[in-house]
Amino acid sequence: MKAEILGCKTGVAVSGGMDSMALLDLYVKNGQDLIVINVEHGIRGKTSLRDSEFVKNYCAERNIPFLGFSVNAPLYAEEKGVSVEVAARVLRYGIFRKLLDDGTVDRIALAHHADDNTETVLMRILRGTGIGGLQGIRDSAEFIRPLLSYSRAEIIAYVKENALPYVEDESNFDSVYTRNFLRNEIIPLLKKRYPDLNASFARLAENAAEVENYLSTQIIPSFECEEGIFIPDVFACPDLIVKYSLNAALKNMGVYQDVERVHFNAVVGLKDKQNNAFLNLPYGVNVAKYNGGLLLYRPAKPFESIVFDGSEICSDGFIYRFFPSEKILKSCTADFDKLKGAVVRRKEEGDFFRKVNGKRKLLSDFLNERKLSVAAKDSLLVVADGKTVLAVLGLEVADEAKITSETKKIIHIIKEKQNL
């Protein structure tokens, strides 16, 4: 058995099981520059620790660089409300990602094989996956799977032929886990009727990948704006492209899972809603219809009211600065003494606002006239005396705070993006 193993610093993920030990053996025999990465998930108690110790000792005896990590997947699962399987994967890949980001390794090799791919595609089908999920296990620039074209039977034969030691994870036989149920009970029955099952699922995955690659070229690119991520004119596209464009934008925000068909369908439904209609998505992301497109944003963090004294204010990635000024600038200058002692807070229902020389009206009506996005409204800070808004910071100064002949101190209000 051979695997395409290219040069560069590679982290080889090794659990001690048969598959990963075969992968490690191939890397060692090819003289690769490698580091073994072992993650103990805290799931199986002493046997889990035993397996990690086995890998550590195996590497020490052969002078193979080794990095060992321990995580608590059961605790993480309880805290996040996910399955232990999902928790283990999230924590494991978090470690992998850190090693990649800090340059410890250039890529990570994983021991997934053809049977794993069949299990993955079947499991996703049963969960109602879309075309993207039918692609199965795919390589990327940073995560490679040199054994993906080989079956479990071929790997077993290689391990026996080379007398490789390995440990057995007893949880692999527990069919309470979905993947184990498919692996131990369902797929063996299918293979009796369809011996080329792996090849069939591999073809399905490749066909799905072709469709997925094409659709990815049709998405509407998103761009970063002051309020979040904006996808322009997306509702002029077919519903499928709306969904794909949304999914790409969510990935730009670091959201890769838990956004399901019901969410995508609901977002498509915003097309017939009024401007600024919005929905809540997982991971604290909101999406709003805005000017024919979609605006993705995270709601503003709570802001504790403070008394205005002219000190700079930081909120939601912006800095509000207050400088002495000699000139009157429209919408940007105010009478300092008229603001001093008022409260800086978020806007509230029932707030009133009067533009300079204008009529008093509800702040909400004024903001609607300015055609602000729901995200922009959500993040606003105001200087208020009771329900009377004296200034909408970064936007407008009220008539009550305007400069007059009696003004002693003019301040210039500037809103700047905070450098994080």
Side-chain angles (χ1 to χ4, degrees):
M1 185 172 73
K2 293 183 178 181
E4 185 178 355
I5 301 174
L6 305 177
C8 75
K9 190 71 168 184
T10 302
V12 183
V14 181
S15 66
M18 188 180 296
D19 305 336
S20 62
M21 293 302 291
L23 179 63
L24 175 58
D25 188 67
L26 285 167
Y27 265 92
V28 171
K29 286 178 177 176
N30 277 272
Q32 297 296 303
D33 185 9
L34 66 91
I35 298 176
V36 166
I37 304 168
N38 174 264
V39 181
E40 191 275 309
H41 298 96
I43 297 174
R44 298 180 292 117
K46 292 182 179 180
T47 56
S48 181
L49 295 170
R50 176 209 64 191
D51 294 352
S52 291
E53 192 68 17
F54 163 79
V55 177
K56 180 180 179 181
N57 292 337
Y58 182 90
C59 293
E61 291 168 3
R62 293 160 179 80
N63 294 317
I64 301 172
F66 172 86
L67 291 174
F69 302 89
S70 290
V71 296
N72 192 332
L75 178 60
Y76 184 90
E78 182 179 349
E79 291 176 346
K80 302 297 182 180
V82 298
S83 70
V84 174
E85 292 171 287
V86 169
R89 187 181 191 281
V90 168
L91 294 172
R92 182 169 65 252
Y93 274 81
I95 291 171
F96 293 162
R97 174 55 57 192
K98 185 178 185 304
L99 293 173
L100 289 165
D101 290 345
D102 66 20
T104 302
V105 296
D106 299 312
R107 63 186 182 181
I108 290 176
L110 304 163
H112 295 119
H113 48 70
D115 287 80
D116 289 325
N117 190 54
T118 297
E119 293 164 9
T120 296
V121 175
L122 181 55
M123 187 161 54
R124 290 176 180 174
I125 289 172
L126 295 174
R127 290 174 175 171
T129 189
I131 293 172
L134 293 178
Q135 296 179 98
I137 301 173
R138 314 295 297 178
D139 279 347
S140 66
E142 296 176 321
F143 294 96
I144 61 171
R145 297 159 180 87
L147 303 182
L148 199 55
S149 63
Y150 294 96
S151 68
R152 180 175 285 112
E154 289 174 300
I155 292 173
I156 291 173
Y158 179 85
V159 169
K160 289 182 178 179
E161 179 182 343
N162 291 273
L164 297 179
Y166 62 91
V167 292
E168 193 71 69
D169 181 347
E170 70 277 5
S171 68
N172 287 336
F173 303 104
D174 187 353
S175 291
V176 70
Y177 298 111
T178 301
R179 183 178 289 276
N180 288 348
F181 172 68
L182 296 177
R183 175 185 301 162
N184 300 331
E185 302 184 34
I186 302 302
I187 290 178
L189 292 176
L190 291 173
K191 283 187 174 180
K192 287 182 179 179
R193 176 77 55 102
Y194 306 101
D196 293 330
L197 189 70
N198 284 348
S200 297
F201 273 77
R203 286 195 300 272
L204 172 63
E206 288 302 318
N207 292 337
E210 288 182 358
V211 175
E212 185 76 6
N213 289 339
Y214 169 74
L215 289 173
S216 68
T217 67
Q218 303 302 302
I219 65 172
I220 305 299
S222 61
F223 62 87
E224 188 173 350
C225 62
E226 186 172 292
E227 297 94 341
I229 300 290
F230 187 61
I231 314 172
D233 304 320
V234 71
F235 284 120
C237 301
D239 292 352
L240 182 61
I241 302 306
V242 175
K243 295 175 182 179
Y244 268 73
S245 300
L246 172 63
N247 192 49
L250 286 168
K251 288 180 179 178
N252 289 340
M253 298 181 76
V255 179
Y256 295 93
Q257 59 185 15
D258 293 342
V259 182
E260 302 175 351
R261 183 178 180 83
V262 63
H263 299 117
F264 286 109
N265 287 342
V267 172
V268 168
L270 288 174
K271 176 169 55 178
D272 300 320
K273 304 292 184 181
Q274 63 183 7
N275 200 49
N276 274 332
F278 71 95
L279 297 167
N280 305 121
L281 297 180
Y283 293 96
V285 174
N286 283 359
V287 57
K289 177 184 178 181
Y290 185 62
N291 291 347
L294 286 172
L295 177 64
L296 286 76
Y297 65 99
R298 287 189 164 90
K301 298 176 182 177
F303 183 86
E304 187 174 346
S305 298
I306 59 174
V307 175
F308 180 82
D309 62 3
S311 302
E312 68 178 35
I313 298 169
C314 298
S315 175
D316 298 304
F318 291 94
I319 300 177
Y320 301 86
R321 304 185 193 276
F322 309 95
F323 298 102
S325 177
E326 297 295 329
K327 298 181 179 179
I328 298 175
L329 301 175
K330 185 179 179 181
S331 303
C332 296
T333 46
D335 186 319
F336 177 79
D337 292 323
K338 292 176 181 177
L339 297 183
K340 191 174 181 180
V343 173
V344 182
R345 58 169 172 78
R346 296 284 186 208
K347 65 181 180 64
E348 296 176 353
E349 188 174 350
D351 281 344
F352 284 91
F353 182 79
R354 186 200 309 270
K355 293 177 62 174
V356 173
N357 300 323
K359 294 182 179 180
R360 190 169 188 261
K361 61 179 65 177
L362 284 171
L363 176 63
S364 58
D365 291 340
F366 164 73
L367 297 177
N368 288 337
E369 291 171 1
R370 293 294 297 264
K371 301 188 183 301
L372 298 181
S373 71
V374 63
K377 295 177 188 178
D378 182 56
S379 63
L380 286 175
L381 290 181
V382 302
V383 184
D385 180 3
K387 288 295 184 180
T388 298
V389 173
L390 304 175
V392 183
L393 295 184
L395 188 64
E396 192 89 24
V397 172
D399 188 77
E400 290 85 347
K402 68 183 179 183
I403 310 302
T404 68
S405 59
E406 298 178 358
T407 297
K408 297 178 181 178
K409 181 178 180 181
I410 299 174
I411 59 164
H412 183 196
I413 304 171
I414 298 177
K415 178 182 179 182
E416 299 176 338
K417 191 76 174 176
Q418 187 175 7
N419 294 322
L420 301 177

